[in-house]
Amino acid sequence: MREIGVKIKELEKRALAHGFSHVSALRAGTLRPRPEVREMCGADKCQHFNKSWMCPPACGPLEENAKLLLGYSDGLIVQTTGDLDDDFDYESMRDAGRLQGRLFASFNKELKGEYRSVLALGNGCCGLCEKCAYPDGPCRKPDEATQSMEAFGLVVSDVCRENGLGYYYGPRTITFTGCYLLK
């Protein structure tokens, strides 16, 4: 298992080589779960509230997630940015999101082979299964499933800014963001 800290620069290079568009070291102390973000989940605009093990309320109380974050000090923020033909280019938006999901899952698998603990927080709802087993059965892929940064109550743009990473890369672009916390 690897030690963190000095290895972050190496991880940044590897993440870029893996295919992510933008990467930055993450200081876990900048992660501040906010109840108002979790409350937005309750509005169910994404239509996943109370329908997935990785979304609220099934993903646990915000207080428990905040305590979990305290066990980490270092990590990595990863982003995939896609170019859009116009502001309504939903196909390119979807493709960029899918690419982020594939890159995120495969890099997560790599990291889990090297570090004793990896907390991967992706973007949006877990999409590993066509239909989540929640609430009738346990998660079918607990070693692969990830919660979103928002489910942890994080304001993604704040996390990026506080760690020296952009969030908006210009007109006709879309960016998907995730992070890995490492022990």
Side-chain angles (χ1 to χ4, degrees):
M1 297 294 167
R2 293 182 178 238
E3 293 297 318
I4 310 299
V6 295
K7 298 291 183 181
I8 292 295
K9 287 292 180 201
E10 174 191 324
L11 284 177
E12 287 181 70
K13 290 177 187 172
R14 283 179 48 202
L16 287 169
H18 196 78
F20 291 106
S21 305
H22 313 280
V23 177
S24 175
L26 169 66
R27 295 179 319 281
T30 64
L31 303 177
R32 293 180 199 82
R34 294 172 43 182
E36 58 269 24
V37 175
R38 179 57 80 82
E39 289 166 12
M40 286 190 279
C41 290
D44 198 24
K45 290 186 179 188
C46 70
Q47 301 177 345
H48 292 286
F49 181 79
N50 204 26
K51 294 180 182 102
S52 168
W53 284 112
M54 297 298 118
C55 291
C59 64
L62 187 61
E63 298 76 24
E64 285 181 22
N65 291 345
K67 286 180 187 174
L68 184 60
L69 293 173
L70 293 175
Y72 296 88
S73 61
D74 294 301
L76 200 63
I77 304 171
V78 294
Q79 297 176 326
T80 299
T81 298
D83 294 317
L84 309 177
D85 291 333
D86 58 53
D87 293 341
F88 302 100
D89 183 1
Y90 297 113
E91 185 176 318
S92 294
M93 291 178 198
R94 182 197 67 220
D95 291 348
R98 287 180 178 168
L99 177 58
Q100 170 76 0
R102 285 192 305 275
L103 294 173
F104 193 78
S106 63
F107 202 63
N108 187 33
K109 189 179 273 190
E110 275 187 41
L111 293 173
K112 284 185 174 188
E114 298 175 32
Y115 294 90
R116 64 184 165 89
S117 181
V118 177
L119 176 59
L121 301 176
N123 59 279
C125 182
C126 176
L128 291 175
C129 301
E130 191 170 319
K131 180 171 178 5
C132 184
Y134 179 83
D136 301 321
C139 176
R140 293 181 197 101
K141 299 179 181 181
D143 293 335
E144 298 173 52
T146 58
Q147 293 181 43
S148 69
M149 293 176 73
E150 295 87 354
F152 261 69
L154 302 174
V155 178
V156 178
S157 58
D158 289 354
V159 173
C160 292
R161 185 182 64 254
E162 291 181 32
N163 287 280
L165 187 63
Y167 180 74
Y168 175 68
Y169 294 98
R172 295 204 175 134
T173 65
I174 188 162
T175 299
F176 294 90
T177 304
C179 68
Y180 305 100
L181 295 161
L182 308 166
K183 285 186 193 176

